Amino acid sequence: MTGYRLPTGGRINRAAQVTFSFDGSSFVGFEGDTLASALLASGVQLFGRSFKYHRPRGLVGSGSEEPNALISVSRGPGRFTPNLRATNVDLYQGMEATSQNRWPSLKFDFGAINDRLGMFFPAGFYNKTFMWPRSFWEKLYEPAIRRMAGLGQAPTEVDPDHYAATYAHCDVLIIGAGPAGIDAALEAAATNKRIILIDEQDELGGGALSDPALWPWLDRSLKALAASPNVTVLTRTTAFGYFHDNFIGAVERLTDHLASMPDGPREKLWRIRATEVILAQGAIERPLVFDGNDTPGVMLASAAKVFALRYGVAVGQSVALMASHDSGWNDAFALAGAGVGIAAIIDVRDIVDEALLAKANALGIEVRLGHSVIGVRGRLGVKGITVARNDGTAASDITCDALLMAGGWTPTVHLWSHSKGSLAWREDLGAFVPDVPNENVRCVGACAGTWNFGAGVVVDVLPTPKDPARLKAFVDFQNDVTAKDIKLAVREGFRSIEHIKRYTTNGMATDQGKTSNLNGLQIASTALNKPVTDIGLTTFRPPYTPQTFGALAGHAKGALFQPTRKTNIDSWAEEQGAVFELVAQWRRARYFPKAGEDMLAAVNRECRMVRSSVGIFDASTLGKIEVVGPDAAEFLNRMYTNPWKALEPGRCRYGLLLKEDGFITDDGVSARLAPDRFHLTTTTGGAARVLNLMEDYLQTEWPDLNLWLTSTSEHYAVIALQGPNARKVLEPLVEGIDLSAEAFPHMAIREGTICGIPTRLFRVSFTGELGYEINVPSAYGRTLWERIMAEGARYDITPYGTETMHVLRAEKGFIIVGQDTDGTVTPFDAGLDWAVGKKKADFVGKRSLARPDIVAPGRKQLVGLLTDDPSIVLEEGAQIVADPNQPVPMKMIGHVTSSYWSETLGRSIAMALVEGGHSKMGQDIFVPMPGKTHVAKVSSMVFYDAEGARLNV
Amino acid sequence: MILIHCPYCDEKRAELEFAYAGQAHIARPLDPSALSDEEWETYLFIRNNPRGRHHERWRHIHGCGRFFNAVRDTVTDKFETTYKAGEPRK
Amino acid sequence: MTRFSALSLFIKALGGHQSWPEQWPDAAPKPAYDAIIVGGGGHGLGAAYYLAKKYGITNVAVIEKGWIGGGNTGRNTTIIRSNYLYDESAHLYDHAVKLWDGLSQELNYNTMYSKRGVMMLAHNVHDVQSFKRHIHANRLNGVDNEWLTPEEAKAYCPPLNISSDARHPVLGAALQRRGGTARHDTVAWGYARAAAALGVDIIQNCAVTGIRRGADGAIEGVETTRGYIASKRVGVSAAGNTSVIMQMAGLDFPLESYPLQALVSEPIKPVFPCVVMSNTVHAYMSQSDKGELVIGAGTDQYVSYSQRGALHIVEHTLAAICEIFPIFRRMRMLRTWGGIVDVTPDRSPILGKTPVQGLYVNCGWGTGGFKATPGAGDLLAYTMAKDEPHRINAPFNLDRFRNGRLIDEAAAAAVAH
Amino acid sequence: MSELLARIEPTPTVPFAGNGVTVTSAPPMARFSLRARKAADLEKLLGVSVPQKIGTMQSGVMCLGPDEWLMLAPDGTKIADGAGLSLAVTEVSDRNVAILLEGPRAASVLAAGCALDFDHFEVGRATRTIFETVEIIVVREAAERFHVEVWRSFAPWLWTAFVTVAAE
């Protein structure tokens, strides 16, 4: 065959040839073709292999409903896309397309052995077998099933494309630009409303594109829309989901149809909020169910019409029609008018409209009423059909090379269903139509069930004299679900349509049942002898057609995936070669290795320098909250476990914050700047959580209090200067603050300037050494840091990171909320009794501390651990037992929360939560690790300078 | 993504600006220490979780910052009303 | 019950599959039962099966308001694992995992339990500490869970991006090799068929409308849309609807129900050999036997029974998936759906007795219910049969919300500092 | 003496000229968070008029919430701190930085990640909102000019987002 391109007609540009390849063979199509129409024009009928039986398959439809013609397109590294419907792939010069799910070739596929054995693979067969011997499931059966399953090849390379996203707003959103949608748009365009009209195809027009009589109207309408400034038209855009409050997700395909790829995004996610939505999504023709209905060349009558009149392609040279509906007749007449040979019209009905008969007669088309197709000849393509009277008699053959199916129409109610609008059963259509809306939405045209396609009857399976148990009459083409599978499901007791769907997988393929749901429902209805409405309706789920992960992720990729927060000083650390860690959204310098140092060596050096001279640490990520107002102290007194009212201005206090359940949620040192002004600090990860918790209490529990909370976390850069030489480094730089120990003691705050910049200077220590935390406006963080580095050079000032900070604080027994506590630890468990105001009548979480289990003995308590072998650094997270010789499962009495090599002490130290730990001081506990059990003694958590002599200098 | 009417801003805004904050009208007891364990459990943990009309709190966290109350149907997710904190239960 | 096997499949095939019997009869309610299970999900059907199989109580009805397995059983991402931190949780879930092994044979129904391994990614130092704590605890509890370096993680799951430049780099992973997936529907159907064969009535399209208690306060039976059914023992295993049913018995519960979304891609050939979870990035994924990438998304923030989730949840989930597995950016989402998850204050389940004599409850599984299916069913059955909890589910009582003995796995995973 | 130390800002000093929109880092400025139960309390303290309607801005002060205002003022501006009064003045100059969007596509760049309806967001409006996952304050200074406030550490991300969309 040389081809099926009709000599005239269609909307293709015959002046522009497009060369492309399919499975390595070269083909030529025209601009305006889809891959499907171009291949069809070249005489290709075989497009793919089915999912389960690997049966040869051709086109069924002409658009998004296509179940069979799934192909892959490759356009360079990382740009391999499987499972595209050939009917939706706009052709471009040089396209490389391949078929799927076949080996070694589409025409000869070893997988088709499944078809021969199909009788052993009915619906749900895998539930019934592959159980013996037991070990074979994972080793043999499952891998084999997996290899056979799946459609296209998996991608193997990173997609180089990028994707865009936007929000949009309109007064009227019209989805579907067929005649009904265009009319709705024109009507709305006359108002001053903002209108968005979207359509999934490359051209507006929908069904009108295959009706040349409407083309003049279409041209006029499109011009009118283009001239309306209040109308935004989006083509190649699929509205895939209808979400709450008229929020519609749509994806616009921007580059897949282009021969050369521009720099712009491949696809764009539109997130549209509409006041009113008009659904004009049309209807999809229904296949008929009969033996051999999946032979390549058997397709929807409406699709054949689209191929002929829109693309100028005959689906066959001698085409038969099997109809249960008038629309098929009209499609056949249209094909005949376009020069396609019509072999016969077979209609399951005994009586059809006289006008149709007359027209068929006038065109010389043979008509068989009260007949059905009972068989199709040909394997890789239709060679002919066998028809018989509906009573099974008078079987005869008709030669043809394509067979059209006209089984009536199913309104496209997917988005309506997403919106939770209700559906009503229309017996005459044999379909569900929109009933009561749940949003401000209405349906127009065919999707409302109001379009006049003519009359028809609904049949589940065409009459046949063959044994129904032997029919290969497909309902869901892609998933290889046959009528007998559905009957089997019913026979096995599956009665709800959801059960039938799940048992047979009917409607669960990549076309989501666009051509199969209603036929499946009808067959189930007959089998159950119950009306359709008693069986239920499967729920449509977004998306309407499959949408790329990339488009749904939008811009959120690489640098735009999630912000990485960096301090003003971060760039300096990066230049110094710091190793970073991620903490909450921040990245923080973990240590500053010098040449040849690993983490341990760097941390040991950093620790040594802090203890012996002075270290500098970027503490900017700490959360900060300014609490201002007459009732500020009262508020903090209610929030924190300890008393705050008596704190004098200029002094700092450690604050411990619980949730109402009594467990520690955050801590930090806070300062009173004035009677009505506090500067709070929180942990890095707790900043937002603490502020939100406090706002909640302030706004909803104690709205009578006069104070306000303001986050100042990012207003300040914070530089911690720690070590015996800290004061000496600071002194030359600070003005307006007396740094002497007497004037500025530990746990105090002063305001002044440093290098001319206003500062809030804290004298606090998380290391146990003399220490300051310098708060300055953020933009000065790095330049101040560099000034201090220069000033401290004579003391060999040493930058240190979070790891050293952790070691130093552990040596002092300071906890880290979230590491030494885990959301199940009370202040008493953590040994922080001193931070709980015994006389306070109430604070957040206090009542929970009196619950029976919280006061019961045996709770896990935070203690220090010293390994018997001082060189052993226990692993953080290691579990603790009292009896190392017990069998598994062992009784665990706690775990190691923090564990380090302490360079200062020349041995390992650890902190642990241990059952009854506070009363186990000096006792041995055991840490069973693979291959070795470590012994450690329970100790105080303060390993260094217990009396605090180094602080008060 | 639902639309929520903020009673302070007097505007409908997208859900992304809001944080859900649980069942409404559960006042913190004035003297928690006077409560039995059962009463404290009820305050802390027991929730209505109805199918249908639900009184709940939201915070316009990325807007005006205020907590407010709402009545919403948990089956349809549609709001019946929203009102300012401190106003009587609707 | 017709035994399922390759042989029976072969024999039936020769007969055109015309003689397969119903897998379970469509029962109408009888006036009274020895025990009633409210909720025909995997947990409830499992409980009915074990009541009949292990405890000899066969006069049992499972009452389901819709169709069995239509709730979270049929809507979840089918992950099975037991590498939980606390002894209580580890024992609970490991009890289930042990029952999963061999369940297909026990039920004579292929549940397609696939021990593909569940790998949890550590993205920061805190994750590493937390996962190692899990691994050590699991090891001493006899639960398998091992640490993988980033390279080992990549070898186990080749699509994984372990670049140190990633926004959330992979610092390692905890792998439970016995973890995996199963086919969700078959679990419900398998239990239904096996239970029915032992005499259990499976009653669909039957909603509970009331709970009747006697003068002594004890359970007498349930009112349903298909009439009153008497029973002295009623087990409620109704997930998101538990609060509503408990209120019929006059009980207020510490539960809230949230929408949880999941999605699948179009099917592709095998590419993803295990289950990967990332709590930091909020994504988890596996590939089904059919070839679909099965992806769990997050919960919406508000309580809801609408089974309708928001688009931005899907956007964030897929952005996360594409960061961890960048080769999947061109893959396409085929279907999304929503379930209703019932969440307790400590995000651990409630499984045991209630203050009402004869009323038992199994709820609050949050996002973790599927993996527990056989265990939850077995333990609910035990508790109903003995009128006392098994030692495994005893800690998962209602009292813990009063006395403070919470089992808070999520809190133990703690927060970044 | 402040000239001794240089400021370092998180976003580029060179504007980005995209398709129909320019993205520019605003110069440093003074910012104060103002809180009070009544606008009049602040007006009395500061001697300036303060807008009453949430989401509006006048003379450099925007009303963000029923008891919350943000004042923008020239760099170096100092104001009374209201000590002892029933209100709160907190300096947050360096907490935020501002990015300016100007040009016919300015609104559409914002709409890429912000769900506000900019057709119904008049000149003079100012509101806190969210751009994808990042909180921002949007001020419409002119039909085609927006001033966007963002916390400092999120500014590089927001800049990259704006520039990415502006280039599309």
Side-chain angles (χ1 to χ4, degrees), chain A residues 425-443:
Chain A
W425 177 251
R426 276 267 299 274
E427 196 64 46
D428 58 328
L429 298 178
F432 287 99
V433 296
D435 193 14
V436 182
N438 181 50
E439 302 269 9
N440 187 10
V441 55
R442 60 193 167 95
C443 290

Side-chain angles (χ1 to χ4, degrees), chain A residues 588-638:
Chain A
R588 305 187 71 181
R590 192 176 184 193
Y591 56 97
F592 291 83
K594 291 190 169 177
E597 282 184 339
D598 61 6
M599 183 169 91
L600 181 63
V603 169
N604 286 346
R605 172 179 51 75
E606 292 172 13
C607 286
R608 247 187 341 259
M609 290 310 297
V610 174
R611 294 264 182 251
S612 63
S613 180
V614 61
I616 183 169
F617 175 74
D618 181 4
S620 303
T621 61
L622 286 183
K624 301 159 208 85
I625 301 169
E626 193 105 329
V627 183
V628 185
D631 294 323
E634 171 65 26
F635 177 74
L636 296 181
N637 207 50
R638 295 184 191 186

